[in-house]
Amino acid sequence: MKRLKLSFVLLFSVVLLLTVSPVFAATSQYTNGLLDRVPIYVGSAVDEGTTVSEMTDDNPANRAIVDTNKLAWYKFATPKVINSFVLKTNGETKIQFYDDKNNLVEVNPLPIDGVQTLPKAITVSIIVLKPTTSAYVHEWNVFETPSTPPSATTITWIQAGDKVVNLDWKSTGAKSYNVKRATSSGGPYTIIASNVTTTTYTDKTVDNGTTYYYVVSAANEAGESANSPEKGIKPEATQYTGGYLDGIKINLGAKVGSVLESVKEMTDNNPNSRVAIEGNKFAWHTFVDPVEITSVVAKTNGDTIMEFYDEKNESMLAYKPLLTDGIQTLPKTLNKVKTIVFKPASQYSSYIHEWNVFGTPSMAPAQTKINWIYGGDKVVKLEWVDTGAKSYNIKRSTSKGGPYSSLAASITGTSYTDKAVTNGTTYYYVVASVNEAGASAYSPERIIKPQATNYTGGLLDGLTLDAGDKFLYPTTPTKVRELTDNDTDTSLSISSRTAVVWYTFDSGKEISSFIVGSRASFKLELYNNKNELVYEQTTAVKEGVQLLPSPIGNVWTVVLKGENWASEWNVFGKNEHQPVPAPLNLTATAGDKSVVLNWSKVNNGTGYNVKRSTKAGGPYVTVATVTGSTYSYTDNTVTNGTTYYYVVSAVDAISESGNSNEASATPKGGDVVIPPITDDGQSGNRALLRLILNNGIEKEFDLSMKEVNAFITWYEGRAAGKGSVMFAIDKHNNNKGPFKNRKDYVFYDKIITFEVNGYDSADQPSVPEQKPNGNGSNGNNQPEPEELM
């Protein structure tokens, strides 16, 4: 009995001790700090209020309420150095730290249930917890050294580019973070970066095509948290990488500078992610330093517009990207771009999946597709889909699948005519898109056999026709090719909404016959240049050419009407008008904010169209039209530093010629650098100056080297837009007759080229040599010009 009684007493004592003196769990993030079980005051101000124990009892189930107009506070007997804290609350609060001189440091805690490291250690006398709204505080503590590691984090963003991976993760208030990586899901992981104090990391030690698995851990003086959940990614180079916008945040808003949000989805090299851009807002990015942009890429679900602005916020270009998933070359190179804008082309929203801009494209353009091919009499015509390429290469083979031979390179349009073919031979064509990064894969192969048939040799060979419900002012005009492709296997139903098919020529024709491939009758109508009907005829049902009773002249439009299927249509005749020839010998000379053009005269031309592009080969825009007696033009609407490409076409009353040769120039400012011929003992003291003018005339003058240098000085100055437009050249010993002197006056814009042939001579002219003055005279007297060139 005594033994039992003693055991009962011991057991009761143990229970009593456990009840009276509870201990804190050693692993709790709320313990081992400066506030362990310390009563916290709650009141309207420091040094006021009553104490509560719930927020420091290591029991997150308990809580104390702190109203909006109240605060919780604690004053240390002696100042303490604090480097971290923990706070579990249901509301938004601030923690205020005061030193012994009442200096304030305020911290906004993260809404997490874990130890958070302060930006730097603080010597504190008073700590204050100040809710923004009424809040329940479950636990609160501060530490000289944290007792437990931080909370685990989560990777919130991962993006892979060309040999790079970018990570973002959630802040847990850790002192630092460790980034780990594996090439197998689940590890083992290798630390690739430690003591990272931000919440982002760029891994440049990766290989394209390899899948990597990442985790991040949070760390402080107490140790390391568990790893974050794993994220896998495969870096690779695509058409979306290698530009200025790789992986950066893009701003969204209603105007530049007014940021509603910043997004990464359109620059993450992941076409499956996307951002909706509403009609009343747009995306934009402003570069720290201006950049040069030559090309762009965009993956969208609708029509959009890119706008480019310089440092003065002046518009440089508005570009409508093609709906193609590849790099597109801009119409011109843009120098010193400061801000780029991307927005829907209409009020409706668009999804933007990817966006980037390039100084030099990182990849070749998208693959194109031949969307139309025609084989006629010793001719093949091709057209292909525009991919925004800088140019295209066309290749051909006589065997399916190649090998292909190059037909043409650096074609800037989307069509090509091959006249080097033999009737009856089958040809296989491919087209490649090209930019500075290289050529795309070939287009799918297209096959064609050129041949002469009853349907070839006419005025409609391979042309695109118009079709609609009526000839004039159709309600639903469309473009058709089935009737002019020399292929009877293709046909068109001419009825209902396409009851009329027609073609309008660029000049008057004389029509003598026609052909219609059909088992039904149609009506052929011919119209003049005033859209007046001049002839009509019902076609016979037969496969063959049908003659008109007599040739019909001044035909500008041919029309076919009916209500049945037709496979082919052509009309035969000749031009009534001899086309005006294209100008020759176009030259372009750059000046300061100007370019001077000269070309040769065209017979029968009544005017010239001056066309310009910032891209070799065009497309060109007409910038001026001059009269037929003018063979030069000065373009003053240019910008220094930009290269311009020019062509000129001739026009007469009813037609326009083809374009001349292309000439280019790059205007620039600053002083003109004069290259005089120096007296080096090798150039000679005299020279024959030979001028070639744009009308084909050649002029030669025997001059002193001083006079030659005066001419060169004038010419170079005029090229820069300075000085007189004409120059007087002394004819010296050719002053035959009763004249004291004779001069030739030459105009700058008439000179195509000149050459200087120096030689030594002991004979010097008896006439004093003088430098020409500004009015073109070479002396005090100002004689009438003998000849204007």
Side-chain angles (χ1 to χ4, degrees), residues 438-452:
S440 72
Y442 292 145
S443 64
E445 187 180 68
R446 289 295 298 267
I447 180 174
I448 197 73
K449 181 189 291 185
Q451 53 189 346

PDB file of all heavy atoms in Angstrom, residues 438-452:
ATOM      1  N   GLY A 438      19.143  35.044 -93.052  1.00  0.00           N
ATOM      2  CA  GLY A 438      19.212  33.911 -93.958  1.00  0.00           C
ATOM      3  C   GLY A 438      17.915  33.664 -94.691  1.00  0.00           C
ATOM      4  O   GLY A 438      17.022  34.519 -94.727  1.00  0.00           O
ATOM      5  N   ALA A 439      17.801  32.475 -95.262  1.00  0.00           N
ATOM      6  CA  ALA A 439      16.634  32.104 -96.068  1.00  0.00           C
ATOM      7  C   ALA A 439      15.786  31.087 -95.321  1.00  0.00           C
ATOM      8  O   ALA A 439      16.301  30.221 -94.601  1.00  0.00           O
ATOM      9  CB  ALA A 439      17.073  31.539 -97.414  1.00  0.00           C
ATOM     10  N   SER A 440      14.485  31.181 -95.519  1.00  0.00           N
ATOM     11  CA  SER A 440      13.553  30.225 -94.922  1.00  0.00           C
ATOM     12  C   SER A 440      13.617  28.898 -95.669  1.00  0.00           C
ATOM     13  O   SER A 440      14.301  28.763 -96.686  1.00  0.00           O
ATOM     14  CB  SER A 440      12.126  30.781 -94.999  1.00  0.00           C
ATOM     15  OG  SER A 440      11.670  30.738 -96.348  1.00  0.00           O
ATOM     16  N   ALA A 441      12.882  27.936 -95.166  1.00  0.00           N
ATOM     17  CA  ALA A 441      12.692  26.700 -95.918  1.00  0.00           C
ATOM     18  C   ALA A 441      11.949  27.019 -97.216  1.00  0.00           C
ATOM     19  O   ALA A 441      11.242  28.027 -97.327  1.00  0.00           O
ATOM     20  CB  ALA A 441      11.901  25.702 -95.085  1.00  0.00           C
ATOM     21  N   TYR A 442      12.114  26.162 -98.214  1.00  0.00           N
ATOM     22  CA  TYR A 442      11.413  26.371 -99.473  1.00  0.00           C
ATOM     23  C   TYR A 442       9.903  26.279 -99.256  1.00  0.00           C
ATOM     24  O   TYR A 442       9.414  25.558 -98.393  1.00  0.00           O
ATOM     25  CB  TYR A 442      11.811  25.313-100.501  1.00  0.00           C
ATOM     26  CG  TYR A 442      13.232  25.396-100.988  1.00  0.00           C
ATOM     27  CD1 TYR A 442      13.953  24.236-101.282  1.00  0.00           C
ATOM     28  CD2 TYR A 442      13.863  26.627-101.186  1.00  0.00           C
ATOM     29  CE1 TYR A 442      15.257  24.293-101.746  1.00  0.00           C
ATOM     30  CE2 TYR A 442      15.169  26.684-101.635  1.00  0.00           C
ATOM     31  CZ  TYR A 442      15.865  25.528-101.915  1.00  0.00           C
ATOM     32  OH  TYR A 442      17.155  25.596-102.364  1.00  0.00           O
ATOM     33  N   SER A 443       9.188  26.992-100.105  1.00  0.00           N
ATOM     34  CA  SER A 443       7.735  26.832-100.136  1.00  0.00           C
ATOM     35  C   SER A 443       7.396  25.425-100.635  1.00  0.00           C
ATOM     36  O   SER A 443       8.240  24.775-101.260  1.00  0.00           O
ATOM     37  CB  SER A 443       7.124  27.861-101.083  1.00  0.00           C
ATOM     38  OG  SER A 443       7.583  27.608-102.413  1.00  0.00           O
ATOM     39  N   PRO A 444       6.184  24.961-100.363  1.00  0.00           N
ATOM     40  CA  PRO A 444       5.782  23.696-101.011  1.00  0.00           C
ATOM     41  C   PRO A 444       5.917  23.824-102.530  1.00  0.00           C
ATOM     42  O   PRO A 444       5.631  24.857-103.113  1.00  0.00           O
ATOM     43  CB  PRO A 444       4.320  23.551-100.580  1.00  0.00           C
ATOM     44  CG  PRO A 444       4.227  24.299 -99.290  1.00  0.00           C
ATOM     45  CD  PRO A 444       5.156  25.467 -99.439  1.00  0.00           C
ATOM     46  N   GLU A 445       6.363  22.770-103.153  1.00  0.00           N
ATOM     47  CA  GLU A 445       6.638  22.767-104.588  1.00  0.00           C
ATOM     48  C   GLU A 445       5.354  22.905-105.399  1.00  0.00           C
ATOM     49  O   GLU A 445       4.327  22.335-105.065  1.00  0.00           O
ATOM     50  CB  GLU A 445       7.342  21.451-104.922  1.00  0.00           C
ATOM     51  CG  GLU A 445       7.872  21.307-106.312  1.00  0.00           C
ATOM     52  CD  GLU A 445       8.539  19.945-106.476  1.00  0.00           C
ATOM     53  OE1 GLU A 445       7.801  18.922-106.448  1.00  0.00           O
ATOM     54  OE2 GLU A 445       9.770  19.890-106.615  1.00  0.00           O
ATOM     55  N   ARG A 446       5.425  23.704-106.502  1.00  0.00           N
ATOM     56  CA  ARG A 446       4.306  23.806-107.447  1.00  0.00           C
ATOM     57  C   ARG A 446       4.780  23.360-108.824  1.00  0.00           C
ATOM     58  O   ARG A 446       5.880  23.678-109.264  1.00  0.00           O
ATOM     59  CB  ARG A 446       3.775  25.240-107.520  1.00  0.00           C
ATOM     60  CG  ARG A 446       3.027  25.695-106.289  1.00  0.00           C
ATOM     61  CD  ARG A 446       1.736  24.923-106.042  1.00  0.00           C
ATOM     62  NE  ARG A 446       0.775  25.075-107.125  1.00  0.00           N
ATOM     63  CZ  ARG A 446      -0.178  26.002-107.140  1.00  0.00           C
ATOM     64  NH1 ARG A 446      -0.293  26.877-106.146  1.00  0.00           N
ATOM     65  NH2 ARG A 446      -1.031  26.045-108.154  1.00  0.00           N
ATOM     66  N   ILE A 447       3.917  22.645-109.500  1.00  0.00           N
ATOM     67  CA  ILE A 447       4.244  22.047-110.789  1.00  0.00           C
ATOM     68  C   ILE A 447       3.433  22.714-111.892  1.00  0.00           C
ATOM     69  O   ILE A 447       2.267  23.074-111.691  1.00  0.00           O
ATOM     70  CB  ILE A 447       3.970  20.519-110.756  1.00  0.00           C
ATOM     71  CG1 ILE A 447       4.309  19.872-112.090  1.00  0.00           C
ATOM     72  CG2 ILE A 447       2.541  20.234-110.362  1.00  0.00           C
ATOM     73  CD1 ILE A 447       4.183  18.357-112.060  1.00  0.00           C
ATOM     74  N   ILE A 448       4.050  22.894-113.081  1.00  0.00           N
ATOM     75  CA  ILE A 448       3.351  23.513-114.204  1.00  0.00           C
ATOM     76  C   ILE A 448       4.029  23.092-115.513  1.00  0.00           C
ATOM     77  O   ILE A 448       5.238  22.840-115.549  1.00  0.00           O
ATOM     78  CB  ILE A 448       3.348  25.059-114.086  1.00  0.00           C
ATOM     79  CG1 ILE A 448       2.281  25.690-114.990  1.00  0.00           C
ATOM     80  CG2 ILE A 448       4.708  25.630-114.367  1.00  0.00           C
ATOM     81  CD1 ILE A 448       0.879  25.485-114.483  1.00  0.00           C
ATOM     82  N   LYS A 449       3.233  23.018-116.564  1.00  0.00           N
ATOM     83  CA  LYS A 449       3.757  22.716-117.895  1.00  0.00           C
ATOM     84  C   LYS A 449       3.323  23.829-118.849  1.00  0.00           C
ATOM     85  O   LYS A 449       2.157  23.918-119.215  1.00  0.00           O
ATOM     86  CB  LYS A 449       3.245  21.378-118.417  1.00  0.00           C
ATOM     87  CG  LYS A 449       3.800  21.003-119.802  1.00  0.00           C
ATOM     88  CD  LYS A 449       3.101  19.785-120.365  1.00  0.00           C
ATOM     89  CE  LYS A 449       3.454  18.536-119.579  1.00  0.00           C
ATOM     90  NZ  LYS A 449       2.857  17.321-120.215  1.00  0.00           N
ATOM     91  N   PRO A 450       4.238  24.710-119.252  1.00  0.00           N
ATOM     92  CA  PRO A 450       3.868  25.756-120.202  1.00  0.00           C
ATOM     93  C   PRO A 450       3.552  25.157-121.571  1.00  0.00           C
ATOM     94  O   PRO A 450       4.191  24.190-122.003  1.00  0.00           O
ATOM     95  CB  PRO A 450       5.117  26.641-120.259  1.00  0.00           C
ATOM     96  CG  PRO A 450       6.235  25.734-119.858  1.00  0.00           C
ATOM     97  CD  PRO A 450       5.655  24.778-118.860  1.00  0.00           C
ATOM     98  N   GLN A 451       2.551  25.739-122.231  1.00  0.00           N
ATOM     99  CA  GLN A 451       2.196  25.240-123.562  1.00  0.00           C
ATOM    100  C   GLN A 451       1.324  26.264-124.271  1.00  0.00           C
ATOM    101  O   GLN A 451       0.595  27.043-123.635  1.00  0.00           O
ATOM    102  CB  GLN A 451       1.460  23.910-123.471  1.00  0.00           C
ATOM    103  CG  GLN A 451       0.258  23.912-122.566  1.00  0.00           C
ATOM    104  CD  GLN A 451      -0.300  22.520-122.341  1.00  0.00           C
ATOM    105  OE1 GLN A 451       0.035  21.587-123.050  1.00  0.00           O
ATOM    106  NE2 GLN A 451      -1.174  22.388-121.366  1.00  0.00           N
ATOM    107  N   ALA A 452       1.406  26.261-125.588  1.00  0.00           N
ATOM    108  CA  ALA A 452       0.549  27.115-126.409  1.00  0.00           C
ATOM    109  C   ALA A 452      -0.753  26.369-126.681  1.00  0.00           C
ATOM    110  O   ALA A 452      -0.741  25.210-127.090  1.00  0.00           O
ATOM    111  CB  ALA A 452       1.249  27.470-127.710  1.00  0.00           C
TER     112      ALA A 452
END
